Amino acid sequence: MNTIAQSVAWWCFVPEKLNPEQFVRSVADAGYQGIELVPPNYWSLVTDHGLAISAIAAHQPLTIGLNRRDQHDRLHEEILASIANAERLKIPRLICFSGNRNGLDDQAGAEITAEGFARVARAAEIAEIDLALELLNSKVDHPDYQADHTAWGLQVCRAVASPRVKLLYDVYHMQIMEGDVIHTIRSAKDCICHYHTAGNPGRNDLDEDQELHYPEILRAIKETGHTGYVTHEFVPKGDPVLALKTAFHTCAKYL
């Protein structure tokens, strides 16, 4: 099996830990293949270092998303523009958000979110760009966010029935909401196109000071035949350059 590519999220390191130039150089030196959620004014800095942009947000903000029918016209235009950017820059994946519930029940929210995706799914298929609905916890970090369980995300993806509308499974977030990580990865693999990692609790390094056993989780991801990225989205506790190197080389043993 081929080695799964690793990337790392921009916001976890810049500007609190490193400046943009230090970060991009350190990522390249550590051996990563890409960086995620790169601000547009730094896209060329990343590609000039031989790195890919593994994913960017398809639309903003994450609290007002595809579960709002009154936002679908705006989101349609934003997502189409993001698809065009992704196609031009060879970005394989766009991250999408359900938005917060604001009193909307989960069944109605899933149906409306699927309607929103259906409006842009064909454009994503033509461009060969994945639209990845991100699963986030609503318990600690994102109160009231609707796509907070894998089953809800699967309901949306299956309703859209597009090969380009899938899930971003965030191990940290779903550990908080539901656990059962490896079983879920195996059972939902056909609807997952992208992964995020971080230690829990704390959203820090993938080390022994947190509860997730990443060697087995990463093995499970590899066994599914995953061909996308695994992106590390953790905030380092110590030396950020050492944290980047440690995460990459530790995870590479299992990917």
Side-chain angles (χ1 to χ4, degrees), residues 96-126:
C96 301
F97 307 102
S98 67
N100 288 359
R101 288 180 173 85
N102 292 314
L104 182 67
D105 74 71
D106 282 352
Q107 179 61 35
E111 292 172 1
I112 294 168
T113 300
E115 289 174 18
F117 271 122
R119 293 181 60 173
V120 292
R122 182 57 184 156
E125 291 167 11
I126 292 169

Side-chain angles (χ1 to χ4, degrees), residues 164-179:
R164 291 294 175 177
V165 175
K166 297 200 173 187
L167 298 179
L168 191 173
Y169 183 87
D170 189 304
V171 176
Y172 159 78
H173 286 297
M174 290 301 97
Q175 170 69 2
I176 290 172
M177 295 304 298
E178 60 193 25

Side-chain angles (χ1 to χ4, degrees), residues 49-239:
H49 279 76
L51 295 164
I53 300 169
S54 54
I56 58 173
H59 58 91
Q60 295 287 354
L62 65 84
T63 55
I64 304 172
L66 287 155
N67 65 353
R68 292 269 299 270
R69 212 176 255 123
D70 65 336
Q71 296 294 313
H72 280 183
D73 286 347
R74 173 183 69 84
L75 292 172
H76 178 261
E77 296 306 313
E78 281 191 33
I79 294 171
L80 288 183
S82 294
I83 289 172
N85 274 331
E87 190 173 19
R88 177 173 58 87
L89 295 166
K90 296 181 171 55
I91 301 171
R93 210 146 286 114
L94 295 171
I95 302 172
C96 301
F97 307 102
S98 67
N100 288 359
R101 288 180 173 85
N102 292 314
L104 182 67
D105 74 71
D106 282 352
Q107 179 61 35
E111 292 172 1
I112 294 168
T113 300
E115 289 174 18
F117 271 122
R119 293 181 60 173
V120 292
R122 182 57 184 156
E125 291 167 11
I126 292 169
E128 299 183 339
I129 305 293
D130 290 331
L131 302 178
L133 173 61
E134 183 162 18
L135 304 173
L136 301 172
N137 83 75
S138 59
K139 182 178 177 181
V140 176
D141 300 290
H142 301 284
D144 202 42
Y145 185 75
Q146 191 149 45
D148 61 355
H149 281 81
T150 307
W152 192 91
L154 290 173
Q155 182 180 350
V156 170
C157 291
R158 288 165 179 162
V160 182
S162 167
R164 291 294 175 177
V165 175
K166 297 200 173 187
L167 298 179
L168 191 173
Y169 183 87
D170 189 304
V171 176
Y172 159 78
H173 286 297
M174 290 301 97
Q175 170 69 2
I176 290 172
M177 295 304 298
E178 60 193 25
D180 201 22
V181 170
I182 291 176
H183 171 76
T184 302
I185 287 169
R186 289 170 174 164
S187 62
K189 62 182 174 62
D190 292 339
C191 289
I192 297 171
C193 66
H194 199 68
Y195 289 91
H196 280 176
T197 73
N200 184 61
R203 201 175 197 162
N204 299 124
D205 309 64
L206 317 184
D207 57 21
E208 295 180 358
D209 294 330
Q210 53 86 41
E211 66 189 4
L212 287 157
H213 186 57
Y214 270 102
E216 290 306 320
I217 292 169
L218 297 171
R219 283 193 188 102
I221 291 172
K222 188 172 181 69
E223 287 169 2
T224 67
H226 178 63
T227 58
Y229 282 86
V230 169
T231 295
H232 304 307
E233 196 180 26
F234 68 86
V235 177
K237 294 178 290 187
D239 180 341

Side-chain angles (χ1 to χ4, degrees), residues 23-70:
F23 173 62
V24 173
R25 185 171 62 252
S26 297
V27 170
D29 289 346
Y32 288 88
Q33 286 80 24
I35 300 178
E36 186 167 312
L37 298 173
V38 181
N41 49 321
Y42 292 108
W43 286 346
S44 61
L45 175 65
V46 171
T47 55
D48 286 348
H49 279 76
L51 295 164
I53 300 169
S54 54
I56 58 173
H59 58 91
Q60 295 287 354
L62 65 84
T63 55
I64 304 172
L66 287 155
N67 65 353
R68 292 269 299 270
R69 212 176 255 123
D70 65 336

